[in-house]
Amino acid sequence: MDPLDFLTNEELLFLFHRKKTEISYIEQPHRLLTQLRDHDLVSEKLFENVKKMRSREQKEKGFYEVLDWVEKKRPQYMHQFWRCVFEDHILQLYPTLRILRNSLLDGTFRLYEKPPDVETLTEEEESEGKGEKGKEKSYTRKRTSSVKKGDKQEILTLPEAQLPVTCGDKEGTLYRDKLSRGEKCILSQGRWFTPAGFERFGGKKNNKNWKSSIRCRNTPLKKLIEEGHLHCPQRKSTKKTCVQKNMRFPVSSSESSSPKTSSSLLEESDAEDVQEQGGRGEGTEFRGRVKEEEEDMADLSVFQAPSLPVTCVSLTGTLYKYRFASGSRGKCVRTEERWFTPEEFVKQEPTLTDGHWKKDILCHGKTLNFLLKKQILHVHSLLCECAKCSTQEQDVMAQNNDDECYVCHSEGALVCCDECPQAFHSHCHLPTVDEDSPGEWICAFCVLRNSQQWRDSSNISEQEAFNAPVSQHILHCHCLLLCVYREDIQKVFVEDPRQTVRRYSEIITQPMWLDRIKQKLESGEYQTVGAFVSDFQLIFSNCSTFNRDSEFGRMGARLKQMFEEEFQKIFSIQ
């Protein structure tokens, strides 16, 4: 079935309304006009009028008038129009139409908000204040899921390199590549503007802060620039001082008569950065710090690991680079309690009232902004549709837990704990998890922690623990065994060594291994915790006897030390 059949005429008409200006700018529109005429979508008179036009400007204007006529006179034929436009021989001639077709097929256009009613908007524009309120109200998008106050609104996407923007009562399209080069980058009503020029065009010239005045889907461009979705070049300077508050740059009285140069755009942008910092020492300190970091030629090898230690004042965590997407997308910072996006991690620090993830999260003494500059971290495109950038509930929920099993460190079908970040293969967990059981599931560690909070938290002696019956401490034994399995990363102590190690039986008369301990625990062979612990001690003593001073011997010594520490914590030994 044709994908267009899944779309309503109203949806296709709305896309046409939003895209007719862009379509009118295609080069050599004669073939497309001929196609529209042959399918009775354009009258012969309109076709001939455009055909007689000679200059490119005349053709663009004439083609726009044709499209405007189609919208007003043929709105019920949108399915026929788009099928006509999306025929293969037409798509091969016009790249712009190929991009539009992709935006239809991948569902991007569905995210567009409904445009404000023209008549209602006219009434609301009686005064600038009322007009802006009416505009904002008309563009509030309803969401099926609740959004907490202060949370970042979803950024809606358009075809590659273009974003819809608004300022006051004006709409336009921002071309990201032009913005990054410091050129006029916003197309509105057939004219190109710098961001500052579009701010004036939208009636917001008194704000003198285009990063806040211009919005993309109700999100200020300042937010998109901070998160790395947009790149705005800064004026290079060797000084680390703020631009003076009374400094002014030449501003042309008319965007069209005296266009602003690329350099003046950069200067204005730089000055606005200072204005956004409020002229405070804090802003100077941050920008100075970034400057120093960029000039620092320190060894970057410490940042090459897949996971990095991070801090934010009193908070500590681990940043997993493969999970990072941006400040608000991709839960990449893991603490003992949960996973966070960088923005969420900063918000956990109680001493920061106005923290920012780029400057307040440190890794080996460097800010995350430094890691972005050095391309150690990479911000995902605003158009990215990967699972880390997805806003679907199931994708967001999946980021709340680890991507590998807590016990064996491998991926696969995992059962996720609903109280902590840990995840397990069903057969790795103790006891084994029934994957088909409905409802929430809590791992053994969380069950033990919760039970310790409910019961008397008084400590016991080591001897009291040894004498305790296993039946009353089966949960403790499960957790202790899971910790040892996890620590034995190379699986040296998991299986029967007699099957893989030569001459083992000649030296060790009473072998023991982790899977054997697990089997005895599950079958109820242990009567006391002491008997359970003695089998672990047997593993460690056998390792020491057989391996002596080899690497395997040292591995066993480290595992023994970890076991003793975990035993003290899990059994609350005083």
Side-chain angles (χ1 to χ4, degrees), residues 74-169:
R74 299 283 192 271
Q76 68 273 29
Y77 296 116
M78 284 297 103
H79 279 89
Q80 184 177 346
F81 172 85
W82 287 112
R83 286 195 181 94
C84 177
V85 166
F86 290 156
E87 290 189 9
D88 289 340
H89 69 283
I90 296 295
L91 293 177
Q92 291 175 8
L93 292 174
Y94 303 110
T96 298
L97 298 181
R98 290 200 297 270
I99 294 176
L100 291 182
R101 183 177 183 274
N102 291 338
S103 73
L104 276 174
L105 297 183
D106 65 18
T108 303
F109 87 102
R110 287 180 176 278
L111 298 176
Y112 292 174
E113 300 134 345
K114 187 176 179 181
D117 182 75
V118 176
E119 295 181 2
T120 304
L121 189 61
T122 304
E123 295 173 1
E124 291 173 340
E125 285 179 337
E126 293 177 358
S127 65
E128 182 177 350
K130 292 181 179 179
E132 291 173 10
K133 289 182 180 179
K135 185 82 172 180
E136 184 177 347
K137 183 177 180 180
S138 299
Y139 272 80
T140 301
R141 190 166 68 91
K142 294 183 178 180
R143 300 172 62 107
T144 55
S145 59
S146 61
V147 179
K148 296 180 181 179
K149 184 177 180 180
D151 282 357
K152 174 179 175 292
Q153 295 294 317
E154 180 185 3
I155 303 298
L156 308 178
T157 60
L158 279 177
E160 185 64 36
Q162 301 173 26
L163 294 174
V165 292
T166 59
C167 183
D169 60 349

